[in-house]
Amino acid sequence: MSQLPLTVTVALVVVAAGIFSPATLADERFRLALLAHSAIFAACVAIPWERLPAGAFIAIPVLDCFTIGFTRQAGGPDFNILSLMLVFPVIWLSSGRQRARVVLAILVTVLSTVIPAAVFGSEPTRGSMIRTIFLPLVLSAIAVSAHIVSGILHRQRKALLKKDQALAETLAESLDRQRLLDAVLGAVGVGVWVVDPEGNNVLTNRAIRADPRLAGLADGDTGTCVLQSDRATPVAPRMLPVARVIRGDVFTDELLWTGDGEEQRAYSVGAHVIRSRDGVRSGGVITFVDVTALITALAAKDNFVGTVSHELRTPLTSILGYLELVLDESGHEAIEAELRVMHRNATHLLGLVNDLIAVASDQVDLALQEADLARLLADVVDSTFPQAADRGLELVLEAEQPLATRMDPARMRQVVGNLLSNAIKYSPGGGCITVSAHRTGTDLVCSITDPGVGMSAEDQAQAFKKFFRSARSRATAIPGAGLGLPVSRAIIEGHGGSLSLTSAPDEGTTATFILPAC
């Protein structure tokens, strides 16, 4: 293929010579030169160059240079233009990476001018001398340019090959990751729905497609009924998960229901925003976890706890009543201490049963009346003082007077008692527990601060869950059932207030509740 352009050009020269200079074509020397061209082309076709040592083909452009020189010399002055055909072998020689081939191209150019003239015995003329000097110069410039361009092209080709290889590796890695992602999305039981910034469906996994309700929601079926956690109130269109993702909302563990009657299913729904490398929001991922079985199990557990607690309260009430009768009668002085221990433990057990009933029903019966929170705090602090003193703790009350509010005094005593009991239990190193209360605008704010072991952020997030006890309390065998804080929050919220915790490990805890003031 490299030789073909020169061969075609020589064939055109033969045709032109036959038309315009038949005498030249009849010259025996000219014919021998043309025969040499044919022999070289035949060698290019017939010789298996790939079996020869690398670079053996250089012999072809070298022979081309000499053959062109003899053809030009045999053609006489009218064929001096044939010197331009030296461009073909010169470029061929110079296009390699070796600089020595550039020198060889220049050398054979000079020799192709000198040797044919010497062989044919031509006398040096002014024109031949100019050709001998300037033709190699011009072809040298062409050779250097061809070598430089060839080097640039080689480097670019090498760079492109590296890029192609890198792209092939990246594509293979992307395909592997895609297969891994497909396998993970197909294996997990969590429904995954990916949408673009306009809320259009980009990807849904098998868990979404296998659930008709979720599939309808992902396909934009307006007939899919989505309800709030109360299982009755429809979710407004602007509050549907996909609508919130379009606005850029991020949320987790939100309970939604779909379907009607016994066919209702509960889902814990979460959403996360997808951002591009430049931080622009490019869509979102919505996850659906079917928690129907969990919700049903929790409801069954609460129902069981509530039923058992009600069944326990009746005999406990009877036991306490008979114990009080026995204590009121004379003649039992010898076992009065034991009877009072029984009465105290039965009273504690009845309180625990009442807490279980309150937790199971998620509501507390309140008998509201106008009362002074400051006086109630003073009474509870006074009654708790001996317990604190036994643990080496000091109780300090700092309360404004008065602090009027509508409350259930018995239930509020229970709340303050629970919070003080926790403060005492979790302050094994002694110190001072401060109870403070003051009015802020239309609210009453009460805080109980202890110098105890404190809580981690993870424990604080779980503190108000039923039956939760921190790992530290279990490890140190601090007594408790994990009901005090949930029941206290239920009571405070029943009063229209709120209860919160502020704590840090080994830095103590502050429990704060807020009630509306009168």
Side-chain angles (χ1 to χ4, degrees):
M1 294 300 296
S2 298
Q3 180 69 11
L4 188 60
L6 177 60
T7 303
V8 172
T9 304
V10 171
L12 294 175
V13 168
V14 172
V15 174
I19 296 173
F20 300 104
S21 183
T24 302
L25 192 59
D27 190 320
E28 188 67 26
R29 296 180 302 174
F30 193 80
R31 289 185 176 183
L32 288 174
L34 295 178
L35 182 60
H37 281 294
S38 301
I40 293 173
F41 183 71
C44 289
V45 175
I47 296 176
W49 297 99
E50 68 278 0
R51 299 180 185 178
L52 299 180
F57 69 91
I58 293 177
I60 297 297
V62 170
L63 292 175
D64 282 339
C65 289
F66 287 110
T67 306
I68 291 170
F70 279 104
T71 305
R72 182 197 65 239
Q73 193 69 32
D78 293 337
F79 284 84
N80 286 340
I81 193 67
L82 295 182
S83 298
L84 294 178
M85 291 195 301
L86 289 170
V87 171
F88 295 112
V90 166
I91 291 178
W92 189 359
L93 280 171
S94 304
S95 60
R97 298 180 59 188
Q98 295 82 9
R99 295 180 181 177
R101 286 167 56 175
V102 178
V103 176
L104 178 61
I106 298 172
L107 178 61
V108 296
T109 299
V110 174
L111 294 177
S112 69
T113 304
V114 174
I115 292 178
V119 171
F120 289 163
S122 301
E123 292 293 333
T125 63
R126 182 179 178 184
S128 65
M129 294 302 294
I130 292 175
R131 182 171 61 250
T132 303
I133 296 172
F134 286 102
L135 181 62
L137 289 176
V138 173
L139 291 176
S140 298
I142 294 175
V144 172
S145 300
H147 180 72
I148 293 174
V149 171
S150 175
I152 293 173
L153 292 176
H154 176 78
R155 288 190 293 272
Q156 289 179 345
R157 181 175 179 273
K158 189 175 180 180
L160 288 174
L161 288 175
K162 288 184 178 179
K163 290 181 179 179
D164 287 344
Q165 184 179 0
L167 286 174
E169 293 175 354
T170 303
L171 177 60
E173 184 178 353
S174 298
L175 291 175
D176 290 340
R177 289 184 178 179
Q178 182 64 44
R179 284 191 288 269
L180 175 62
L181 177 62
D182 292 341
V184 171
L185 290 179
V188 298
V190 177
V192 179
W193 179 17
V194 183
V195 297
D196 63 15
E198 288 73 37
N200 299 314
N201 192 353
V202 174
L203 171 68
T204 55
N205 70 338
R206 184 182 304 169
I208 290 282
R209 296 190 295 271
D211 190 325
R213 301 172 185 82
L214 297 182
L217 190 63
D219 293 337
D221 183 4
T222 56
T224 302
C225 182
V226 182
L227 305 175
Q228 298 179 15
S229 58
D230 61 4
R231 307 180 66 171
T233 306
V235 176
R238 62 180 303 274
M239 295 304 295
L240 288 172
V242 66
R244 297 179 62 183
V245 167
I246 294 173
R247 295 197 300 270
D249 293 350
V250 176
F251 53 90
T252 57
D253 297 331
E254 294 203 2
L255 184 63
L256 297 179
W257 290 81
T258 63
D260 299 315
E262 296 182 357
E263 299 298 323
Q264 281 188 335
R265 306 294 296 178
Y267 298 95
S268 176
V269 185
H272 304 273
V273 173
I274 302 174
R275 297 190 181 277
S276 60
R277 287 183 297 178
D278 54 2
V280 178
R281 183 167 56 86
S282 58
V285 179
I286 308 172
T287 57
F288 296 84
V289 181
D290 191 333
V291 293
T292 307
L294 177 61
I295 296 295
T296 303
L298 290 174
K301 182 202 72 173
D302 289 342
N303 184 56
F304 172 77
V305 170
T307 300
V308 171
S309 300
H310 277 289
E311 294 298 325
L312 289 174
R313 185 162 59 177
T314 300
L316 277 173
T317 303
S318 178
I319 291 171
L320 283 171
Y322 281 109
L323 280 173
E324 290 172 357
L325 287 176
V326 171
L327 288 170
D328 288 341
E329 293 179 356
S330 59
H332 302 93
E333 289 78 6
I335 59 171
E336 181 177 355
E338 290 79 1
L339 291 174
R340 292 196 178 280
V341 170
M342 291 174 59
H343 186 274
R344 183 169 62 252
N345 288 332
T347 301
H348 175 72
L349 184 57
L350 181 60
L352 183 60
V353 168
N354 288 332
D355 288 345
L356 286 171
I357 294 173
V359 166
S361 62
D362 284 328
Q363 60 183 6
V364 179
D365 294 330
L366 300 176
L368 298 179
Q369 64 184 59
E370 189 170 334
D372 185 1
L373 178 62
R375 178 174 296 179
L376 183 144
L377 291 174
D379 292 343
V380 177
V381 168
D382 288 342
S383 63
T384 311
F385 187 81
Q387 180 185 356
D390 290 341
R391 301 290 296 272
L393 292 163
E394 180 183 359
L395 283 182
V396 175
L397 175 62
E398 299 173 352
E400 295 180 4
Q401 299 287 342
L403 295 173
T405 183
R406 285 186 58 79
M407 64 180 179
D408 183 327
R411 288 295 189 180
M412 286 306 303
R413 286 178 183 274
Q414 182 181 358
V415 170
V416 178
N418 283 339
L419 298 180
L420 279 174
S421 175
N422 285 343
I424 292 171
K425 287 191 296 184
Y426 292 98
S427 300
C432 179
I433 297 175
T434 302
V435 181
S436 62
H438 61 276
R439 182 188 296 270
T440 302
T442 59
D443 295 325
L444 303 183
V445 180
C446 177
S447 298
I448 299 175
T449 302
D450 66 65
V453 297
M455 304 172 67
S456 66
E458 293 78 9
D459 287 343
Q460 291 182 62
Q462 304 285 328
F464 291 101
K465 290 188 176 181
K466 306 169 187 177
F467 308 109
F468 171 78
R469 303 196 68 226
S470 67
R472 189 164 187 174
S473 63
R474 294 195 301 271
T476 55
I478 297 175
L483 293 174
L485 286 176
V487 171
S488 298
R489 171 173 275 187
I491 294 172
I492 293 296
E493 290 179 348
H495 283 78
S498 62
L499 173 61
S500 61
L501 296 176
T502 302
S503 183
D506 300 319
E507 295 183 10
T509 301
T510 298
T512 302
F513 65 84
I514 300 174
L515 295 175
C518 288

